[in-house]
């Protein structure tokens, strides 16, 4: 029953999640194959963030199954560290560690969590900062960086753990159009290198160009899915059409 | 050295201002011994009370109701009772319960010295306040920052040590400052159980030499100096821990 790369990297089956009386996820089923880029779109409050947070066990689910590389996330005996090594996550508000420089932010987890060799980690961290075009900001503190720069440091910080899949939760929502572009370019490069990505985004242009598949969620369900050409051209559900007409 | 002693002798002869600690070797030795005891007592209590604060704030966020109850009880007891009563409680009530031990000279002595009881008592006293101070700091750390650490594979303890505590410390520093200054002033209570600290030796000197007025001034100046050094050190530390670009 070992997981192999031809099976879905992430597989969700009938995932339910409630906060108190409000059911936020009402049976979500989809999967992400290795190397795939999946975009999730949908109105505010439809449970997109909750969905991503369930996948790396920041939030426990009530019913259904989430498997990451064949490993059940909803298992009380789950090794959370092993899961989070595989799944990188980037947040809307960057959430960098404000008391550490950009370089230290990238180096912390591999050293403190994975106990990797400091020298080796430092080299990798410099390489990652170069990759997100921030090599000259290595010794800046988050408070000294723009939103877009902070977000790219956050991406580098996640990549430093060598994840198999990256979750992005509206990572450009707090940015102005110019800085947005820098971050989107970085994500696109990652996707083109074959990184498996699951993105929640409102960037329709980006989704159209980069995504292999788009899921539209509303009221805790996936209403409509499809490859971008099909999705944007002939969305059938009225809710999808209404959402698209508002945002495009 | 000789010149200074002569000048203070002259001061006494000519103006009846008797600062015997500056010209009398016996009084000077006594005074310096008291100063050293106060410094030792303060330094040890500073460190242990901060350690109690750090561990206590961690326990207050514990999943176990039992641990939280114990902390709550501890804080209530030490915050709401006078420190002198606490000291008497430790020294007389608990100290007398312990069996005597035989020392090197074959005499039956208490197993815990009065100096040690002072350390225990003041550490718990200041520690109770430190727990509350750190807890407020811990609560001020954004939940999202902690979540980012969790997403990078940090366990609750590791996130506390590497992310929460460093940030909580910075937030708590002004309140911590106040409490530690208070702690130094509280060490004079050790007089009551015969610990030869600054106030105790000063009282011995003034009952010997009959220079109450002079010694009172010396005492006040000495405490201003000790507290001044602490405040300076804390301010330096605060500057060293500054997070560029952040107001906290
Ligand atoms: N920890 C929580 N406790 C209680 N309710 C929550 C919690 N997290 C989310 N919710 C609720 O779940 C619903 C979905 O939230 P979620 O953040 O997943 O939506 P979203 O689709 O990401 O929205 P947005 O586009 O605004 O980010 C909201 O109604 C929210 O109030
Ligand atoms: Mg969201």
């Amino acid at each position: 029953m070992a997981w192999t790369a031809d099976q879905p990297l992430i597989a969700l089956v009938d995932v339910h999640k409630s906060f108190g009386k409000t059911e936020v996820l009402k049976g979500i089923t989809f999967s992400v194959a290795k190397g795939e880029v999946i975009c999730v779109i949908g109105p505010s409050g439809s449970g997109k963030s909750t969905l991503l947070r369930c996948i790396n066990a920041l939030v426990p689910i009530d019913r259904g199954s989430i498997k990451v590389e064949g490993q059940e996330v909803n298992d009380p005996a789950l090794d959370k560290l092993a899961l989070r090594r595989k799944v990188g996550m980037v947040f809307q508000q960057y959430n960098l560690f404000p008391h550490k420089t950009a370089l230290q932010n990238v180096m912390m987890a591999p050293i403190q969590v994975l106990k990797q060799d400091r020298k080796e980690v430092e080299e990798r961290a410099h390489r990652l900062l170069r990759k997100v075009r921030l090599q000259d900001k290595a010794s800046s503190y988050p408070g000294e960086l723009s939103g877009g720069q902070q977000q790219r440091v956050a991406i580098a910080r996640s990549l430093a753990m060598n994840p198999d899949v990256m979750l992005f939760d509206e990572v450009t929502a707090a940015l102005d159009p110019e800085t947005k572009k820098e971050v989107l370019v970085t994500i696109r490069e990652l996707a083109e290198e074959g990184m498996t990505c699951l993105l929640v985004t409102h960037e329709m242009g980006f989704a159209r160009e980069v995504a292999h598949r788009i899921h539209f969620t509303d009221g805790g369900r996936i209403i409509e899915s499809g490859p971008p050409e099909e999705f944007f051209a002939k969305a059938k559900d009225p809710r999808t059409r209404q959402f698209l007409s508002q945002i495009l | 050295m000789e010149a200074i002693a002569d000048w203070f002798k002259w001061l006494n002869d000519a103006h009846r201002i008797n600062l015997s600690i500056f010209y009398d070797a016996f009084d000077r030795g006594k005074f310096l011994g008291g100063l050293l005891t106060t410094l030792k007592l303060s330094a040890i209590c500073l460190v242990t009370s901060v350690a109690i604060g750090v561990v206590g704030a961690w326990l207050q966020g514990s999943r176990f109701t039992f641990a939280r109850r114990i902390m709550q009880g501890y804080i209530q007891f030490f915050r709401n009772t006078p420190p002198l009563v606490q000291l008497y409680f430790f020294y007389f009530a608990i100290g007398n319960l312990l069996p005597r031990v035989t020392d090197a000279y074959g005499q039956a002595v208490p197993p815990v010295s009065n100096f040690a009881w002072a350390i225990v008592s003041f550490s718990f006293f200041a520690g109770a306040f430190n727990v509350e101070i750190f807890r407020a700091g811990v609560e001020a750390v954004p939940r999202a920052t902690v979540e980012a650490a969790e997403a990078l594979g940090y366990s609750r303890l590791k996130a506390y040590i590497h992310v929460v505590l460093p940030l909580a410390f910075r937030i708590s520093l002004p309140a911590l400052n106040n409490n530690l200054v208070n702690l130094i002033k509280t060490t004079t209570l050790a007089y009551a159980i015969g610990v030869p600290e600054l106030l105790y030796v000063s009282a011995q000197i003034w009952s010997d030499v009959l220079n109450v007025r002079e010694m009172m001034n010396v005492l006040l100046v000495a405490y201003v100096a000790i507290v001044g050094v602490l405040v300076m050190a804390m301010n330096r530390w605060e500057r060293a821990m500054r997070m560029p670009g952040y107001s906290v």
Side-chain angles (χ1 to χ4, degrees):
Chain A
M1 261 302 284
W3 178 81
T4 51
D6 55 327
Q7 292 168 332
L9 212 158
I10 301 176
L12 293 89
V13 179
D14 197 30
V15 172
H16 289 259
K17 172 68 195 176
S18 302
F19 289 112
K21 281 202 181 70
T22 44
E23 194 170 27
V24 179
L25 302 180
K26 301 177 183 165
I28 299 273
T29 302
F30 73 91
S31 57
V32 184
K34 190 168 161 40
E36 240 182 348
V37 178
I38 306 284
C39 283
V40 176
I41 64 174
S44 183
S46 60
K48 306 179 299 293
S49 297
T50 306
L51 180 65
L52 292 195
R53 288 148 52 82
C54 287
I55 293 174
N56 72 349
L58 285 173
V59 177
I61 64 173
D62 302 331
R63 205 138 55 76
S65 149
I66 300 178
K67 283 191 173 147
V68 174
E69 297 189 353
Q71 170 81 56
E72 179 59 60
V73 172
N74 198 19
D75 179 353
L78 166 80
D79 178 357
K80 282 195 182 157
L81 171 57
L83 172 73
R84 286 167 184 166
R85 276 184 79 153
K86 294 179 204 150
V87 183
M89 183 153 181
V90 184
F91 303 85
Q92 180 175 336
Q93 291 301 336
Y94 343 125
N95 304 341
L96 291 177
F97 306 129
H99 59 303
K100 298 284 181 182
T101 64
L103 184 71
Q104 289 168 333
N105 262 278
V106 179
M107 290 172 60
M108 273 170 77
I111 291 174
Q112 292 165 351
V113 176
L114 301 182
K115 309 263 174 241
Q116 291 174 348
D117 176 62
R118 170 175 284 275
K119 250 204 144 82
E120 196 187 307
V121 172
E122 189 168 352
E123 263 168 46
R124 179 151 36 102
H126 277 296
R127 204 161 58 237
L128 286 168
L129 284 179
R130 202 152 44 238
K131 188 190 182 89
V132 299
R133 298 187 185 77
L134 286 174
Q135 60 273 34
D136 51 334
K137 297 285 182 193
S139 49
S140 299
Y141 284 83
E144 303 169 317
L145 298 173
S146 76
Q149 291 169 334
Q150 289 189 56
Q151 194 57 287
R152 283 180 285 154
V153 173
I155 293 172
R157 178 177 70 173
S158 250
L159 291 175
M161 297 292 278
N162 272 326
D164 294 341
V165 53
M166 291 282 286
L167 311 179
F168 294 93
D169 188 4
E170 297 196 46
V171 292
T172 56
L175 303 175
D176 57 71
E178 260 320 295
T179 42
K180 225 174 233 183
K181 230 165 56 200
E182 309 165 354
V183 174
L184 291 177
V185 165
T186 301
I187 298 175
R188 178 199 296 253
E189 282 172 0
L190 266 181
E192 280 164 2
E193 285 166 20
M195 173 63 82
T196 311
C197 296
L198 178 56
L199 302 106
V200 170
T201 183
H202 287 149
E203 299 299 318
M204 292 307 143
F206 177 81
R208 189 197 294 269
E209 289 170 42
V210 180
H212 296 119
R213 240 185 133 66
I214 295 176
H215 296 294
F216 176 76
T217 60
D218 191 14
R221 290 197 177 83
I222 294 182
I223 305 293
E224 198 151 5
S225 320
E229 322 76 64
E230 196 178 304
F231 182 86
F232 287 109
K234 30 191 179 211
K236 290 177 216 80
D237 196 283
R239 280 168 293 183
T240 320
R241 283 216 296 272
Q242 199 210 343
F243 180 77
L244 288 176
S245 70
Q246 277 169 2
I247 211 155
L248 285 178
Chain B
M1 231 23 230
E2 200 57 27
I4 297 174
D6 286 344
W7 189 80
F8 279 103
K9 255 188 227 151
W10 166 83
L11 192 67
N12 183 26
D13 294 340
H15 298 283
R16 313 252 48 116
I17 295 176
N18 188 359
L19 288 163
S20 63
I21 57 170
F22 289 106
Y23 62 79
D24 184 283
F26 182 73
D27 283 359
R28 181 167 55 231
K30 206 168 215 169
F31 185 79
L32 290 180
L35 181 64
L36 192 67
T37 304
T38 287
L39 290 178
K40 262 204 277 192
L41 190 58
S42 300
I44 297 173
C45 291
L46 279 179
V47 172
T48 44
S49 74
V50 168
I52 289 173
V54 167
V55 175
W58 159 263
L59 287 176
Q60 279 212 317
S62 166
R63 281 177 294 137
F64 303 108
T65 325
F66 182 68
R68 290 202 305 268
R69 288 256 168 78
I70 298 247
M71 282 319 296
Q72 213 40 49
Y74 158 64
I75 291 166
Q76 291 309 327
F77 180 82
F78 280 91
R79 265 198 346 182
N80 302 342
T81 53
L84 180 58
V85 176
Q86 293 166 15
L87 184 64
Y88 280 160
F89 172 76
F90 277 109
Y91 186 64
F92 294 115
I94 298 187
N96 280 340
L97 286 180
L98 301 177
R100 306 258 142 173
V101 293
T102 322
D103 71 0
Y105 307 101
Q107 286 187 328
V109 294
V112 180
S113 70
N114 47 6
F115 181 72
W117 276 127
I119 288 175
V120 170
S121 176
F122 299 149
S123 297
F124 277 119
F125 168 67
F129 288 89
N130 285 348
V131 173
E132 289 286 85
I133 288 169
F134 285 139
R135 199 198 45 166
V138 166
E139 277 169 7
V141 174
R143 175 74 202 122
T145 308
V146 184
E147 202 163 71
E150 281 173 29
L152 286 165
Y154 282 81
S155 62
R156 197 173 96 81
L157 181 60
K158 275 203 171 135
Y160 185 72
I161 293 171
H162 296 294
V163 178
V164 176
L165 205 53
L167 294 174
F169 240 103
R170 287 164 166 88
I171 298 164
S172 314
L173 222 45
L176 182 65
N177 248 328
N178 280 338
N179 191 39
L180 296 185
V181 167
N182 241 329
L183 168 62
I184 290 188
K185 295 187 288 188
T186 306
T187 59
T188 49
L189 292 181
Y191 176 95
I193 59 168
V195 175
E197 46 71 68
L198 211 44
L199 176 61
Y200 185 90
V201 296
S202 299
Q204 282 188 326
I205 292 171
W206 77 54
S207 41
D208 240 23
V209 188
L210 304 175
N211 58 348
V212 181
R213 199 162 34 94
E214 291 89 332
M215 284 313 290
M216 279 299 169
N217 286 294
V218 168
L219 260 181
L220 290 177
V221 170
Y223 276 102
V224 166
I226 296 173
V227 169
V229 168
L230 174 76
V231 169
M232 235 162 58
M234 293 291 281
N235 285 346
R236 266 191 115 116
W237 193 34
E238 196 167 354
R239 270 202 303 281
M241 292 206 311
R242 221 184 81 248
M243 299 184 285
Y246 275 82
S247 45
V248 191

